[in-house]
Amino acid sequence: MPKRVVIIGAGIVGLCTGYSLLRRGCDVTIVDRDGPNHEGCSFGNAGMVVPSHVIPLAAPGMVRMALKMMLRPRSPFFIRPRLSWDLIDWSWRFMRAANAGHVDRSAPVLRDLHLASRALYEQLAELPGADFGLTKLGLLMLCKSEHALHEEAALATRAKELGIPAEVLNCAQTAARDPNVKMDVAGSVYFPLDCHLRPDRLVVFLRKMLAEAGVKFVWNNPVTGWRREGNSISAAMTTQGDISADEYLICGGSWSPSLVHDLGLRLPMQAGKGYSLTLKNPRRLPRLCSILTEARVAVTPMGDTLRFGGTMEIAGLNQRISRGRVRGIIESIPQYFPEFTPDDFQDVPVWSGLRPCSPDGLPYIGRAGAYENLSIATGHAMMGISLGPISGELVAQMICREELAVDIGLLDPMRFARSKASWNQENKAQVLTGRSIDRPAAG
């Protein structure tokens, strides 16, 4: 009898997991809190597949850079102050993880994940009807200043040590790499293995393929709780009734922590809001995707359109648009591509999405504590598209008791299992008085 699996969340990770499970003969149901027309985080992002991104968000220098950026109203990073112990806990864990040792441990894992995901995308692109535009031309990290180019060159050296090819280019070499657009930069780093695609078409393709293969989608159906029998989940309670299965998987993005709260589980997470604007008739259309390094803006050609996306705004579970942050994106573009002007973005709709960010910059993939039939795959931050296929494959291997393709020990969802109550009790008074906080025990 086929194993019955309920996946909570119809974003890219949930869809990729559904595909991997379907290939193994499982009976799959995907439940989502929103409707089929909701353009979640998997729709409007930059659509990049990035083996170059082997450094986690929590890295040396990030705390200092974040504090500097918060003083600028149009900067690409912002934490909206609010009274939230979850935010304080997340921030402390982020600061604690932002060290060289964490990078050394994480980089080989991220390399293996990205490369495996890229190979799976190549396989997906060969399937009938796969029109999501996988383009394997590489990525340019465009640097406006010599200082930024020097820093990116150091990261390129680190990537090459891990087996990721990279090439440092001067201004003229950068222009020759993509002559379709005029650039005003000091130089760039070129990563030939990076790719880009159309994320909206990818999601539509996967939904259609899965539905035609027998996967059941249940839309507009939030999960409200769980029924348990010992250390097993017996049913997911939803607004449309209970759903029973043999295995359950949480791919709820930024809403995942609330889904496991009633089970006594903690997933430290903050929603990192990002914005994108897509020009339908751009005055110039680059061939390669790129990242405007100092501005932290991603640029992706998508067919005849051109998408610009950026910001990391930690402001809770809301999608209110900060016009100042959007203006920051728009004003940065002519600094790198002088043929563009802010007027090009007049009346262009702004998309926003909430990226699920763990405090150490690594996704949560694995079993959920003591519950033998509950798994978690979330917390991918800005790498959801890039890591979607391998995340789905790893979860499917885990559920079907197969050997895992990648060591996911660092991705354990319970790595921050220490309770919030314990942390608060020890440190709340010290936070309020401004005294130093003892480092929490490893968890």
Side-chain angles (χ1 to χ4, degrees), residues 363-417:
Y364 296 119
I365 301 176
R367 289 293 188 182
Y371 296 96
E372 61 183 17
N373 64 339
L374 179 64
S375 302
I376 294 173
T378 188
H380 294 74
M382 295 174 287
M383 298 185 292
I385 286 290
S386 189
L387 298 181
I390 187 57
S391 298
E393 187 70 7
L394 288 166
V395 172
Q397 291 170 349
M398 186 168 49
I399 287 175
C400 295
R401 306 296 194 269
E402 300 174 7
E403 183 179 354
L404 299 186
V406 178
D407 182 358
I408 59 172
L410 289 180
L411 313 183
D412 181 5
M414 298 297 102
R415 62 186 182 268
F416 301 115

Side-chain angles (χ1 to χ4, degrees), residues 57 90 94 253-254 267-273 312 314 354-362 364 378-382:
L57 186 62
W90 184 92
F94 180 88
S254 296
L267 280 182
M269 186 100 74
Q270 289 296 314
K273 189 187 303 177
M312 176 64 77
I314 308 294
L354 301 177
R355 314 179 190 100
C357 301
S358 72
D360 61 1
L362 297 176
Y364 296 119
T378 188
H380 294 74
M382 295 174 287

Side-chain angles (χ1 to χ4, degrees), residues 26 221 390 416 419 437:
C26 295
N221 192 30
I390 187 57
F416 301 115
S419 70
I437 305 173

Side-chain angles (χ1 to χ4, degrees), residues 49-56 103-119 158-165 193-194 361-363 383 386-387 390 394 405-407 410-411:
V49 182
V50 283
S52 62
H53 283 40
V54 295
I55 306 299
V103 171
D104 289 342
R105 292 186 295 271
S106 303
V109 177
L110 289 173
R111 171 202 61 198
D112 293 346
L113 291 170
H114 283 297
L115 290 175
S117 219
R118 184 185 189 279
R158 182 66 173 273
K160 287 191 285 187
E161 291 171 352
L162 290 165
I164 303 296
L193 291 185
D194 286 14
L362 297 176
M383 298 185 292
S386 189
L387 298 181
I390 187 57
L394 288 166
V406 178
D407 182 358
L410 289 180
L411 313 183

Side-chain angles (χ1 to χ4, degrees), residues 83-100:
L83 186 58
S84 166
W85 290 113
D86 284 338
L87 176 59
I88 293 172
D89 179 38
W90 184 92
S91 300
W92 174 249
R93 293 185 186 277
F94 180 88
M95 289 188 289
R96 181 171 173 242
N99 60 73

Side-chain angles (χ1 to χ4, degrees), residues 31 38 69 101 150 162 191 197 209 268 281 308 345 368 411 422:
V31 180
H38 175 71
M69 285 186 175
H150 176 75
L162 290 165
F191 290 98
L197 50 79
M209 178 182 62
N281 297 293
F308 299 87
F345 299 89
L411 313 183
S422 173

